Amino acid sequence: MIDFYKNSGLEDIAARVEAGLRLDREDGLRLLKSDDLLAVGRMADTARQRKHGDRVYYILNRHINHTNICVNRCKFCAFGRDETDVGAYTLTLDEIEGKALAYRGRGITEIHIVGGLNEKLPLDYYVEMLKRVRRALPGVIIQSFTAVEIDYLARVNGMTADQVLAVLKEAGLDSLPGGGAEVFSQRVRDLVCPKKISGDRWLGVHEAAHGLGMKTNATMLYGHVETLEERIDHFIRLRELQDRTGGFLAFIPLAFHPKNTQLDQPGRSSSTGYDDLKMLALARLMLDNFDHIKAFWIMIGPKIAQVSLSFGVNDLDGTVEEEKIVHDAGAETDQRLPREEIVRMIKAAGRIPVERDTLYNIIREG
Ligand code: V47
């Protein structure tokens, strides 16, 4: 096996991966700087295989974005609007309930609701939304509201994040998605999202959710102004929290799409396939205490997502149906992928498709 790595300059790291040892910051940086994508991918595949064998998970889920009005207006985001902007919207509770009811009986097991920081929306709007979605879709897991939204609700309502989470949990919230993490480095945040909560606060809200027994996800938005060192630092900070709480389910790298954002420049396009595969592989290798590395096909396209199954990925998210955040930023992918297509992609990669719920309970295999 080690022969495969001959002349890659990465033989020592490969040996550590083979032995199941933890990689450090320096290892991560060398992997990220290496041009030997196949060597990096093979290491990640070894780590994936050890945890998951031939199984690849997918989920039948739906996204709802309840408002695009946002006080933060991050420079990488094409979704957020001011209240008076063309295209600004906020769904009424009846509209959200209508969407949830329309998904009834269609086999979905997860609903993913995230939106902007809209100062007009009281905490009651969120509580009522959860109650109505819970009623419309009994048994469906509600994975909703990023740590950024939880922090905002805490601040505007004079509450702690723990208190907001407890109120929302009571109303039906099961789990938090991984959005809003971006890159934890304050240097990066000052440049691309100066109004957003710090990396420490993002981690603190997830730690609070884990303390209440909620499982959550984590992301990293890569391919804008961050350095390779800052990407590795992001992984290490997530790994440290996971060591303490074990509350993260999955990590999802998010490829930056520049179109219609304040970071767009002539000639600038989104990440390359090479970068996408390397980030997914690095996630698998650095986040040794995360079970699941998820490729969000919406961001990187179904074909790279399928290939990523040989680069450390064990989960393809999901059927989705309607997606606004990346499509506003120029994503050219579809907004939905039928189950049959996800299953076909997984089988064509020689793997066993496994439908899961949010908590990775198995719903069907094969
Ligand atoms: O928080 C914003 C990112 C996130 C852009 O937890 C952009 O299972 C690319 O977090 N180009 C929302 N990305 C999506 C998200 C997510 C998606 C799928 C699964 C899960 C999960 C979470 O999208 C935002 C932000 O980090 N984003 N603008 C952009 N122009």
Side-chain angles (χ1 to χ4, degrees), residues 76 112 177-180 182 217 221 252 255 257 294 296 299 317 325 329:
F76 55 75
H112 176 128
E182 322 316 354
N217 286 342
L221 178 71
I252 312 108
H257 285 59
K294 188 153 86 163
F296 190 39
M299 296 266 180
D317 182 10
I325 298 175

Side-chain angles (χ1 to χ4, degrees), residues 65-72 79-81 89 114-119 121 126 145-146 148-149 152 325:
N65 301 122
H66 54 282
T67 182
N68 62 358
I69 296 172
C70 188
V71 298
N72 269 3
F79 174 67
R81 301 276 193 287
Y89 75 86
V114 295
L117 307 184
N118 183 336
E119 54 197 347
L121 297 178
Y126 293 85
F145 314 131
T146 66
V148 179
E149 293 173 270
Y152 186 68
I325 298 175

Side-chain angles (χ1 to χ4, degrees), residues 206-227:
H206 279 259
E207 186 159 12
H210 298 168
L212 292 172
M214 287 182 181
K215 296 291 186 184
T216 71
N217 286 342
T219 59
M220 180 196 317
L221 178 71
Y222 64 94
H224 41 98
V225 304
E226 83 288 358
T227 63

Side-chain angles (χ1 to χ4, degrees), residues 44-58 248-251 283-284 287-294 308-309 311-316 346 350-354 356 359-360 362 365:
D45 198 50
T46 301
R48 176 205 59 76
Q49 174 79 28
R50 195 181 293 136
K51 277 187 196 272
H52 298 290
D54 284 340
R55 284 180 164 169
V56 174
Y57 295 93
Y58 68 95
F248 286 116
L249 289 166
F251 176 80
R284 169 61 72 200
L287 298 176
D288 56 357
N289 52 5
F290 277 61
D291 281 344
H292 306 289
I293 304 298
K294 188 153 86 163
S308 76
L309 299 179
F311 288 76
V313 167
N314 70 300
D315 188 358
L316 294 183
I346 295 170
R351 301 281 170 73
I352 303 162
V354 179
R356 64 166 177 97
L359 302 172
Y360 289 84
I362 293 177
E365 188 160 334

Side-chain angles (χ1 to χ4, degrees), residues 2 14 22 27 31 46 65 89 108-109 139 189 251 264 298 358:
I2 296 293
R22 178 162 275 193
D27 296 329
L31 292 170
T46 301
N65 301 122
Y89 75 86
I108 69 161
T109 60
R189 293 177 109 73
F251 176 80
D264 199 5
I298 292 255
T358 308

Side-chain angles (χ1 to χ4, degrees), residues 59-65 96 99-114 133 137 140-144 177 296-298 317-324 335-339 342 355 358:
I59 189 162
L60 303 191
N61 62 355
R62 294 289 183 273
H63 286 214
I64 297 178
N65 301 122
I96 295 168
K99 278 181 185 281
L101 283 169
Y103 298 150
R104 210 171 171 155
R106 291 169 60 187
I108 69 161
T109 60
E110 174 185 277
I111 194 105
H112 176 128
I113 311 172
V114 295
V133 171
L137 298 169
V140 169
I141 294 183
I142 306 181
Q143 185 179 62
S144 295
F296 190 39
W297 61 266
I298 292 255
D317 182 10
T319 46
V320 180
E321 194 80 20
E322 178 182 298
E323 199 285 333
K324 294 193 193 305
Q335 295 197 25
R336 64 182 299 266
L337 210 52
R339 175 215 295 270
I342 297 185
E355 186 193 337
T358 308

